[in-house]
Amino acid sequence: DIIIEKFVQGKDYRVCVVNYKVVAVALRIAPFVIGNGRGNLKTLIDVFNEDPLRGEDHEKALTKIKIDAELILCLFKRGLQLEYVPKRGEKIILRENANLSTGGMAIDCTEEICEENIEYCINAAKVLGLDICGVDICAKDIRIPLHESGGVVLEINAAPGIRLHHYPSKGKKRNVGKVILEML
């Protein structure tokens, strides 16, 4: 058996819908390190993980990058190993996903989403009967309607994490927990 899916290029957005209103939008960024011309990838990851905002699993605002089989495979696909020493300023992506739980980060872009994309997310939540959900979108730009940019809704999460909205790496903090409690 095989599954064939359309390949869509774009950025990874999470749109949080509560009570059929978009309350937060974040651009999710895959974990990466920037080379200094001296340290190898393992060393750069260790230094990256020293950030006091990073902890194990969900204990802190951000999660440490784990060196595991998935990270090794991601590097291998790019012809790299942990011993590789990136040039000064060279950006090395460490995972193929941008989840906070794997070391990614979030940038708030709630003010940027266009009305048409807000409607897509609300309608998706309504179709599934989810008054709380996270709509994952792949699009070049959240400010452009999905039907114009070739963007797509990837999935809808019935139990979305809210940490990325409470503690974005950049941008305004969104108190999604408070909005959920007020709805309840």
Side-chain angles (χ1 to χ4, degrees):
D1 294 339
I2 63 169
I3 296 175
I4 298 175
E5 297 180 331
K6 180 180 177 183
F7 179 74
V8 179
Q9 283 188 304
K11 298 175 183 172
D12 183 349
Y13 294 95
R14 164 61 63 87
V15 180
C16 186
V17 177
V18 178
N19 204 19
Y20 305 111
K21 293 182 184 86
V22 169
V23 298
V25 181
L27 170 63
R28 299 188 302 183
I29 308 290
F32 65 90
V33 292
I34 304 289
N36 59 14
R38 297 183 316 275
N40 65 25
L41 290 174
K42 166 106 175 56
T43 301
L44 293 171
I45 292 168
D46 290 343
V47 170
F48 185 89
N49 283 337
E50 289 174 5
D51 180 346
L53 293 176
R54 291 191 178 274
E56 302 298 329
D57 298 317
H58 296 281
E59 73 176 346
K60 294 191 177 181
L62 297 170
T63 303
K64 291 181 178 184
I65 297 171
K66 291 183 178 81
I67 297 175
D68 58 10
E70 189 175 327
L71 185 141
I72 301 296
L73 179 60
C74 183
L75 293 176
F76 178 77
K77 287 179 180 178
R78 292 172 173 83
L80 303 174
Q81 296 179 342
L82 285 172
E83 297 75 27
Y84 174 71
V85 177
K87 295 179 218 111
R88 182 174 204 65
E90 183 181 1
K91 181 178 179 179
I92 305 293
I93 305 292
L94 301 170
R95 294 226 181 242
E96 293 180 348
N97 71 46
N99 298 341
L100 258 62
S101 61
T102 60
M105 56 186 128
I107 298 171
D108 177 70
C109 52
T110 305
E111 305 298 326
E112 297 176 19
I113 188 171
C114 68
E115 287 300 318
E116 292 89 345
N117 291 343
I118 288 172
E119 287 303 313
Y120 280 129
C121 294
I122 291 169
N123 288 338
K126 285 180 179 178
V127 165
L128 296 176
L130 296 172
D131 54 5
I132 300 171
C133 65
V135 181
D136 291 347
I137 290 177
C138 180
K140 292 177 181 149
D141 189 337
I142 199 73
R143 297 172 292 189
I144 301 170
L146 296 179
H147 68 273
E148 290 178 18
S149 69
V152 297
V153 172
L154 295 173
E155 67 177 2
I156 300 170
N157 295 277
I162 59 175
R163 182 172 58 143
L164 72 163
H165 303 299
H166 281 249
Y167 307 104
S169 299
K170 190 175 177 185
K172 185 176 177 181
K173 295 179 180 187
R174 306 289 172 168
N175 194 342
V176 174
K178 180 180 178 187
V179 176
I180 292 170
L181 285 174
E182 288 171 351
M183 180 196 77
L184 296 174

